Amino acid sequence: MDAAPRPHETAAMHPTCTARADLPCSAEAAFDLAADAARFPPLFRGYGLIPAIRSITLLSPLAVGCDRRVANSDGSVLTEHVTALDRPGLHAYTLSGFRPPFSWLVRLGEVRWTFSAHAQGCTVEWRYTFTPRAALSRPLVALLLRCCMQPAMQRCLAAMAQACISRQAATAAG
């Protein structure tokens, strides 16, 4: 009989990385920005070993089950497969197609964005959970997430906050 993994075992088996920020806009506006194939790429500038996003190409209209191609500044092209899309609260997808050396460490990434409204705007939580190829790669994956991915995500969320402020200023002026 197979026992379900305990929560701490799952976390140990699958390194995670989470970034949170309060954005000065509605949950709908934040959701739309995070899911926008044209507006999101300039906001993700990468950090350290994590490359910037150059472009996102939708292979079909944005919906559960669609695929997107993510072209990065290092020449890699990843595939996002949308697994959940519930505006304005949830946007989730798997990420695959990593190239070496990351592909030697990781098989798949699962990404989950949540958006929660509050009086001053919304809180965004962005989580990556990676499936390592081998148990021995877990510590290295965790280190990469902490040293490179976490700062890249926080930097992106700060850029999203600035984009929300700029959009509000443009709307108020025009």
Side-chain angles (χ1 to χ4, degrees):
M1 178 177 195
D2 291 335
R6 295 183 194 115
H8 71 279
E9 290 173 342
T10 301
M13 292 173 31
H14 299 289
T16 63
C17 183
T18 302
R20 286 180 197 84
D22 288 322
L23 273 57
C25 60
S26 68
E28 291 83 357
F31 178 98
D32 292 347
L33 181 58
D36 190 309
R39 292 190 301 146
F40 184 76
L43 303 176
F44 191 88
R45 298 185 308 266
Y47 186 90
L49 299 174
I50 304 300
I53 295 175
R54 291 291 174 233
S55 66
I56 297 174
T57 304
L58 287 164
L59 301 181
S60 59
L62 186 60
V64 172
C66 83
D67 288 335
R68 300 180 290 198
R69 296 283 185 258
V70 179
N72 294 317
S73 61
D74 67 352
S76 64
V77 178
L78 303 174
T79 299
E80 293 179 349
H81 179 76
V82 177
T83 57
L85 197 63
D86 186 15
R87 183 180 186 264
L90 174 64
H91 177 211
Y93 48 93
T94 58
L95 187 62
S96 61
F98 303 109
R99 73 180 204 184
F102 202 58
S103 65
W104 299 333
L105 302 172
V106 169
R107 183 180 329 253
L108 181 72
E110 295 175 79
V111 186
R112 182 178 178 89
W113 292 76
T114 58
F115 307 85
S116 305
H118 58 69
Q120 293 78 34
C122 71
T123 299
V124 177
E125 182 176 290
W126 181 12
R127 177 182 303 256
Y128 276 89
T129 302
F130 287 96
T131 303
R133 289 206 175 268
L136 291 175
S137 66
R138 285 183 206 133
L140 187 52
V141 172
L143 179 65
L144 264 168
L145 293 178
R146 185 173 47 255
C147 295
C148 297
M149 192 63 188
Q150 174 75 31
M153 293 164 68
Q154 286 300 151
R155 185 175 171 178
C156 180
L157 289 174
M160 287 177 67
Q162 187 58 49
C164 290
I165 291 168
S166 297
R167 192 169 187 110
Q168 287 174 348
T171 301

